[in-house]
Amino acid sequence: MASGVGVNQNVLDTYQELKLGKKHKYIVFGLSPDNTEIVVTKTSSDNSYETFLADLPEAECRWAIYDFEFERPGEGKRNKLLFVTWAPDDAKIKQKMLFASSKDALRRSLVGISTEIQGTDYSEVAYESVLDKASRGSH
Amino acid sequence: MVNYGGDEVSALVLDIGTSTVRAGYAGDDTPKAIIPTSYGFKKDASAEEDVSMTEPGEEGDASPKPSPKVTMYVGNNGPTVWREGMEVAHPVRDGLIQDFGPIPALASYAFRDVMRCDPTEHPLLVTEPAWNTASNRERMAEIMFEDFGVPAFYIANTGVLNAFAAGKGSALVIDIGHDTASVTPVIDGFVLRKGLAHSALPQLVRAHAHHLLTSSNSSRPGIQLLPHQLIANKQAVDAGVPPRFTLRADRQAGTTESWRKWYEDREVEEWIQAVAGVLDQGWNEQAAAQRGARHYEFATGYNYYFGSERFSVGEQFFTHSPQLVASNPNLPKSIPALITQSLSACDPDIRQVLMGNVVLTGGGSLFAGLSERLSNELSRNFAHVKIHAPGNPTERRYGGWLGGSILASLGTFHQLWISKEEWQEHGSKIVAQRCK
């Protein structure tokens, strides 16, 4: 079941810039004001994970792509592309519905994501729990 | 009131549950029409003091109704009103519509009589449980297109709607209704069918409460569950004192067994909602006694302070006594058993996602103390458990309807509707293609 919301071309271009060009550290996506399209709301090259978390609003839904870098003991550095679905409990129910039913459209258009995070509060997207998820799936 | 919608208010949403039929406009936060799903009927149409809705059996094809001379009583003045010789029947069993005969009458009452709207002018979204059958949903589409002439139709899964309404693409939806409790794993907006589990647990809880109330114990006699329609007058009595009331002699003969049974069920349900509860840490006689007694008065005037026994009712959701299990091999599964059954059918890496995203919904989940107890039970067995249970009772009770209301109100959703033209061109198979 899907909402029928579309994906703006700019979303795909910005994703390619992050994935291939490494121009951004993370991208935050949202919905256009008329709720018909998924658009880029922010890009950043700030390396601090905390800055990224600050871009997830307390009572509004977002999606995000984060270029997650971590150390595997004895194996060196790894990079993973995280797909974060941010739907805080305090968000309006209509927005939660819209984001949940539109996620598939966005997710399918972005190729090469290794880990998906579904977050409803900050503990679920905290660095440690994300690191745990990202390092578990990598071999 | 929070305004949930905004884009579009022209679509209708219909959610048929075991206990009530909910209908309303997409974009609203509560259904406009909430009517009983059960309906009254009389075989003999001689005493016609009410409006007869439809004559089932006229449509010809299915619904084998014995006599065409059946008068149906639906809606808010339907089964709840005492009528001589009126039987009560329930079209929904096990969460599924088993008898489509009264469905047109129920939908028509909700749309035309309560909402005063013309269904030929509005697209219609209907909800269905995850275990609905293909023939059932096609039948529903057929009724709506052919009998009601809706311009567009969609049928959506309540499990997915509840998950989405909680902002989750993946979730374990625990839906406790009037008759059925179900556990539905939803992954990326699709139901994982093999992980579906449901049982008639709420019925068992009600049966337990019924047994508890009607049988006597050391501190009180058995209680008579008589509906107020059968009582001529009563006097106020002190708590625990035998009631003083007189029955309506004129109604003794004309009361049918099915009506009395249905009403007794309602009396028990009301008692449960007012008084019953469940302890947050498992059964403990002392803890139950400490919680204090609660007062309840029945229609007969009998009133009593219910002590620890009121907590034994909720225990049935979670554990069943060995004697009960031994005596009844087809006992409905408890909530923990349903969850275990559901999870064991899912891949281990999915299980963790599901347990971190449990969505509790359905009117039955408003049972006092249930969400706290569930959270304690699950935390004991799983590492990262997070239960999302809307605090607003309306959101919980009508979660499926509300999800459908938002979805159908989205401007972008309109491309997914099955139009009347498509229905006429492709027939019933388009339902399965479009509504996944």
Side-chain angles (χ1 to χ4, degrees), chain B residues 7-324:
Chain B
D7 289 358
E8 183 78 50
V9 284
S10 72
L12 300 175
V13 179
L14 178 69
D15 179 19
I16 300 178
T18 317
S19 144
T20 54
V21 173
R22 283 80 68 162
Y25 292 106
D28 281 4
D29 55 2
T30 42
K32 280 265 185 298
I34 301 166
I35 58 166
T37 309
S38 301
Y39 64 101
F41 68 94
K42 272 204 253 183
K43 292 253 167 61
D44 177 20
S46 55
E48 211 152 334
E49 84 266 22
D50 209 315
V51 195
S52 74
M53 294 311 303
T54 51
E55 304 279 323
E58 269 187 357
E59 297 138 46
D61 52 331
S63 66
K65 279 273 165 187
S67 153
K69 277 193 146 185
V70 169
T71 314
M72 259 204 255
Y73 303 97
V74 300
N76 294 324
N77 294 318
T80 44
V81 177
W82 186 90
R83 289 183 184 87
E84 191 179 359
M86 182 181 76
E87 304 269 359
V88 175
H90 319 282
V92 177
R93 286 253 175 254
D94 208 16
L96 299 182
I97 299 170
Q98 304 288 0
D99 176 12
F100 274 95
I103 297 301
L106 287 166
S108 170
Y109 182 88
F111 294 147
R112 298 196 177 105
D113 295 278
V114 181
M115 295 175 66
R116 304 251 168 234
C117 74
D118 180 0
T120 60
E121 290 172 1
H122 307 273
L124 174 72
L125 183 135
V126 183
T127 66
E128 61 174 358
W131 56 95
N132 200 13
T133 61
S135 63
N136 242 353
R137 65 207 311 229
E138 283 169 12
R139 186 77 211 277
M140 183 59 88
E142 187 187 326
I143 289 175
M144 290 308 158
F145 277 121
E146 309 295 338
D147 295 8
F148 285 84
V150 296
F153 175 86
Y154 195 83
I155 192 158
N157 186 298
T158 50
V160 179
L161 289 174
N162 273 304
F164 280 4
K168 294 167 192 302
S170 303
L172 190 71
V173 181
I174 303 178
D175 187 345
I176 304 172
H178 181 260
D179 267 9
T180 313
S182 67
V183 175
T184 312
V186 177
I187 296 291
D188 289 334
F190 289 96
V191 172
L192 209 59
R193 297 212 167 264
K194 59 183 178 182
L196 210 56
H198 61 101
S199 78
L201 186 62
Q203 277 175 311
L204 177 80
V205 173
R206 220 161 29 248
H208 176 85
H210 185 271
H211 177 74
L212 198 74
L213 291 172
T214 52
S215 36
S216 59
N217 60 28
S218 54
S219 47
R220 60 162 175 82
I223 297 164
Q224 286 175 285
L225 298 167
L226 288 165
H228 64 89
Q229 288 95 328
L230 299 183
I231 292 165
N233 60 61
K234 62 181 177 187
Q235 286 167 347
V237 292
D238 288 338
V241 172
R244 277 198 295 256
F245 63 95
T246 38
L247 286 171
R248 288 188 62 151
D250 57 323
R251 288 191 168 176
Q252 287 309 301
T255 304
T256 62
E257 191 52 36
S258 62
W259 186 82
R260 186 193 292 270
K261 210 171 158 296
W262 182 68
Y263 230 98
E264 255 184 37
D265 222 39
R266 281 172 67 104
E267 294 281 313
V268 174
E269 184 66 42
E270 272 176 37
W271 178 84
I272 288 177
Q273 286 180 14
V275 172
V278 65
L279 297 170
D280 53 0
Q281 295 291 354
W283 180 248
N284 177 336
E285 188 74 44
Q286 272 180 321
Q290 274 172 9
R291 295 287 287 273
R294 248 199 218 165
H295 182 252
Y296 188 81
E297 181 175 334
F298 292 88
T300 57
Y302 180 81
N303 61 100
Y304 188 72
Y305 286 91
F306 291 92
S308 59
E309 60 182 327
R310 69 191 176 97
F311 289 104
S312 76
V313 176
E315 209 56 31
Q316 302 302 316
F317 279 115
F318 295 94
T319 48
H320 300 143
S321 73
Q323 300 98 292
L324 190 64

Side-chain angles (χ1 to χ4, degrees), chain A residues 24-56:
Chain A
H24 316 292
K25 184 70 182 168
Y26 65 88
I27 315 168
V28 181
F29 306 100
L31 285 170
S32 59
D34 61 353
N35 290 337
T36 55
E37 239 185 358
I38 295 165
V39 295
V40 174
T41 59
K42 173 149 190 181
T43 59
S44 170
S45 47
D46 195 316
N47 270 323
S48 156
Y49 190 73
E50 295 308 312
T51 326
F52 165 63
L53 289 188
D55 277 327
L56 300 178

Side-chain angles (χ1 to χ4, degrees), chain A residues 1-5 34-36 85 87 89 92-94 96-98 100-101 103-104 116 118 120-121 124 136, chain B residues 4 7 156 160-161 164-170 188 352 357 386 388 402-403 406 410 412-413 415-416 436:
Chain A
M1 199 161 56
S3 64
V5 167
D34 61 353
N35 290 337
T36 55
T85 306
D89 287 341
K92 290 221 172 68
I93 187 167
K94 180 178 177 186
K96 290 197 264 192
M97 188 84 201
L98 254 168
S101 55
K103 181 209 149 195
D104 201 42
E116 278 192 46
Q118 189 169 263
T120 54
D121 63 35
E124 287 172 279
R136 202 163 349 117
Chain B
Y4 291 114
D7 289 358
V160 179
L161 289 174
F164 280 4
K168 294 167 192 302
S170 303
D188 289 334
Q352 202 168 12
N357 295 285
K386 189 161 181 251
H388 174 94
L402 187 56
I406 300 166
L410 302 177
T412 49
F413 183 72
Q415 53 190 291
L416 294 148
K436 283 176 185 154

